[in-house]
Amino acid sequence: MEYFFTVLIPVIAVAIVVILAKYIASHRFRCKHCLKEFSIGWIKVIFAEHSEDEYMLVCPHCKTKGWCDELPKK
């Protein structure tokens, strides 16, 4: 029985991380350099450095790496 929980808890943790990453990826992001909005994939959300509602991303428009604002869903 202890093996069941040894496997179940990490599976649940990974599922929660993926669900939250997909939710955040459904938002738009705004580059602070060129002020254009863009979307990113959920895998990038998982690995991007972030603080509150800012993410360190490469803007697909101006190709600048910097802090981008996460915009609320409309």
Side-chain angles (χ1 to χ4, degrees), residues 22-39:
K22 287 185 176 190
Y23 173 74
I24 293 169
S26 70
H27 294 156
R28 306 278 295 159
F29 295 86
R30 181 184 299 128
C31 175
K32 289 187 176 182
H33 187 266
C34 68
L35 301 177
K36 294 201 176 182
E37 295 182 13
F38 59 94
S39 297

Side-chain angles (χ1 to χ4, degrees), residues 23-68:
Y23 173 74
I24 293 169
S26 70
H27 294 156
R28 306 278 295 159
F29 295 86
R30 181 184 299 128
C31 175
K32 289 187 176 182
H33 187 266
C34 68
L35 301 177
K36 294 201 176 182
E37 295 182 13
F38 59 94
S39 297
I40 61 172
W42 63 272
I43 293 177
K44 286 186 180 182
V45 170
I46 291 175
F47 294 107
E49 181 182 351
H50 69 279
S51 173
E52 301 271 335
D53 59 349
E54 293 182 334
Y55 287 78
M56 181 65 72
L57 301 169
V58 176
C59 175
H61 302 285
C62 66
K63 308 297 186 224
T64 302
K65 182 177 183 177
W67 291 102
C68 299

Side-chain angles (χ1 to χ4, degrees), residues 1-8:
M1 188 68 169
E2 67 253 7
Y3 298 116
F4 177 73
F5 290 111
T6 304
V7 173
L8 182 65

